[in-house]
């Protein structure tokens, strides 16, 4: 914060004059992520911060609260549309194939994605493009709440690691319509949630994945592409590649760790206290 204090001050002066500015939501740490994302350009950071405040107002994101707590409790009549579409998703597909965890309380999120376990055709059939946008916003909002909490508690900017485990994945199971839709939604939301993604490690990938990558790479946001790292089968059991994000005791054995199962999920950690994110 001290290093970028002048640029943060400039952005603050710009956004304070905007009608969507909320002082206790858009503080210096929130601004810092925009400054870093735009490589220190205070003009670009201020421009995107303004758009983000408008976006958050449009979807009433400051009213959502702790998503993990809300989704673990009974529905309410006046629930946010984002909460409703999340409930529909979990009713249809549960948390199979995608598990977001917080292995170490003072480090970032580790998300385990197993495409072979996902019902790609079912997701496309059940959810519209607008539903996908809301699901993408919900995921990003949930991750931002968590990473912001850890960052404020530790004083270190924390990010997300996505481990994409392609074990058991077959070419016939790949749904290009889903991949393209997911890419479009990512492009819509990426500017509004800066500095969340640290890395994507693609592991246990079949040889044909390189063909799919050539098709999907141009569809993804540039900043996302830069953070995707294909790890060979030999390296996937090397703990050192994962050590920046997770301790060996929490990393599952198939990636070179010692854990027999998955680490605690975000719901396990944050699902019981509706006000936990307000405690730092």
């Amino acid at each position: 914060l001290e290093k970028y204090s002048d640029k943060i001050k400039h952005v603050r002066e710009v956004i304070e004059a905007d009608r969507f500015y909320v002082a206790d939501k858009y503080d210096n740490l929130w601004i810092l992520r925009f400054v870093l994302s735009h490589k220190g350009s205070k003009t670009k950071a201020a421009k995107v911060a303004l758009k983000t405040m408008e976006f958050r107002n449009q979807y009433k994101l400051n009213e959502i609260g702790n998503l993990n707590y809300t989704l673990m409790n009974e529905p309410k009549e006046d629930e946010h549309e984002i909460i409703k579409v999340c409930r529909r998703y979990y009713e249809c597909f549960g948390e199979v194939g995608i598990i977001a965890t917080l292995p170490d309380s003072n480090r970032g999120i580790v998300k385990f994605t197993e495409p072979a376990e996902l019902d790609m055709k079912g997701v496309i059939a059940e959810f519209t493009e607008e539903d996908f946008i809301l699901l993408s916003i919900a995921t990003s909002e949930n991750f931002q709440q968590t990473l912001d909490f850890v960052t404020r508690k530790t004083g270190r900017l924390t990010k997300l690691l996505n481990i994409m485990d392609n074990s058991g994945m077959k070419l016939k199971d790949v749904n290009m319509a889903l991949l393209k839709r997911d890419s479009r939604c990512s492009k819509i939301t990426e500017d509004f949630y800066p500095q969340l993604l640290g890395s994507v490690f693609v592991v246990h990938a079949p040889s044909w994945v390189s063909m799919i990558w050539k098709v999907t790479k141009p569809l993804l946001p540039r900043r996302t592409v830069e953070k995707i790292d294909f790890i060979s089968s030999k390296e996937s059991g090397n703990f050192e590649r994962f050590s920046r994000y997770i301790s060996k005791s929490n990393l599952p054995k198939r990636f070179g760790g010692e854990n027999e199962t998955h680490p605690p999920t975000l719901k396990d950690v944050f699902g019981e206290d509706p006000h936990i994110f307000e405690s730092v």
Side-chain angles (χ1 to χ4, degrees):
L1 287 172
E2 184 177 348
K3 180 179 179 180
Y4 294 98
S5 59
D6 289 344
K7 293 176 180 179
I8 290 171
K9 180 181 178 182
H10 171 83
V11 175
R12 173 166 301 289
E13 289 172 350
V14 173
I15 67 174
E16 279 180 339
D18 190 82
R19 62 192 173 116
F20 298 125
Y21 175 73
V22 182
D24 64 336
K25 298 293 183 182
Y26 308 132
D27 62 6
N28 288 348
L29 181 58
W30 185 82
I31 294 172
L32 175 63
R33 290 188 182 272
F34 290 93
V35 172
L36 293 175
S37 184
H38 294 280
K39 299 179 179 179
S41 171
K42 58 187 181 182
T43 302
K44 290 181 180 178
K47 183 178 179 180
V48 178
L50 287 170
K51 288 184 178 179
T52 301
M53 292 193 302
E54 183 178 2
F55 167 83
R56 295 188 65 80
N57 180 75
Q58 176 187 348
Y59 287 98
K60 298 180 171 57
L61 297 178
N62 291 335
E63 301 172 14
I64 283 184
N66 181 349
L67 279 164
N68 294 292
Y69 175 82
T70 301
L71 291 171
M72 286 186 67
N73 286 275
E74 292 297 316
K76 297 179 180 179
E77 290 185 8
D78 58 345
E79 276 194 325
H80 197 291
E81 287 301 314
I82 286 177
I83 301 296
K84 291 178 182 178
V85 77
C86 284
R87 290 195 189 279
R88 277 180 51 216
Y89 182 90
Y90 290 127
E91 286 172 5
C92 292
F93 307 104
E95 296 186 66
V96 176
I98 302 176
I99 302 176
T101 72
L102 191 71
D104 303 290
S105 61
N106 291 329
R107 300 170 84 174
I109 297 168
V110 178
K111 175 184 173 186
F112 296 91
T113 305
E114 299 177 72
E117 300 297 323
L118 294 173
D119 180 3
M120 296 190 184
K121 291 181 180 178
V123 173
I124 281 288
E126 184 68 28
F127 294 90
T128 66
E129 184 104 2
E130 179 59 28
D131 289 336
F132 254 72
I133 292 173
L134 295 180
L135 285 169
S136 181
I137 292 172
T139 301
S140 298
E141 189 71 17
N142 192 15
F143 290 167
Q144 178 173 275
Q145 288 178 350
T146 302
L147 294 172
D148 184 73
F149 175 81
V150 177
T151 296
R152 292 176 188 279
K153 186 174 70 168
T154 64
R156 297 188 303 273
L157 192 68
T158 54
K159 298 185 182 183
L160 160 78
L161 168 65
N162 182 7
I163 301 176
M164 187 169 291
D165 184 0
N166 288 277
S167 299
M169 190 65 183
K170 297 178 181 178
L171 181 57
K172 66 180 180 63
D173 297 326
V174 177
N175 188 301
M176 289 306 299
L178 177 63
L179 295 179
K180 289 178 180 178
R181 183 181 285 185
D182 187 55
S183 298
R184 289 195 296 272
C185 292
S186 295
K187 285 186 175 180
I188 290 172
T189 59
E190 72 152 344
D191 280 345
F192 304 133
Y193 294 96
Q195 296 291 303
L196 294 191
L197 180 63
S199 300
V200 178
F201 290 168
V202 182
V203 300
H204 303 141
S207 57
W208 51 261
V209 165
S210 59
M211 176 179 66
I212 301 296
W213 176 238
K214 288 180 181 178
V215 176
T216 57
K217 182 178 179 180
L219 304 174
L220 293 169
R222 177 183 55 79
R223 287 197 288 265
T224 299
V225 170
E226 292 172 349
K227 296 174 181 178
I228 295 177
D229 189 4
F230 287 81
I231 298 179
S232 67
S233 297
K234 182 178 180 181
E235 290 182 298
S236 64
N238 181 1
F239 168 68
E240 295 304 318
R241 298 297 298 271
F242 301 90
S243 61
R244 177 183 169 192
Y245 296 95
I246 184 171
S247 65
K248 193 167 188 176
S249 61
N250 281 318
L251 183 69
K253 281 189 171 182
R254 67 182 183 276
F255 306 120
E258 299 172 348
N259 198 342
E260 297 284 354
T261 182
H262 287 296
T265 68
L266 298 189
K267 286 184 179 180
D268 293 333
V269 179
F270 300 111
E272 295 187 3
D273 183 355
H275 306 296
I276 190 169
F277 295 125
E278 302 166 18
S279 64
V280 294

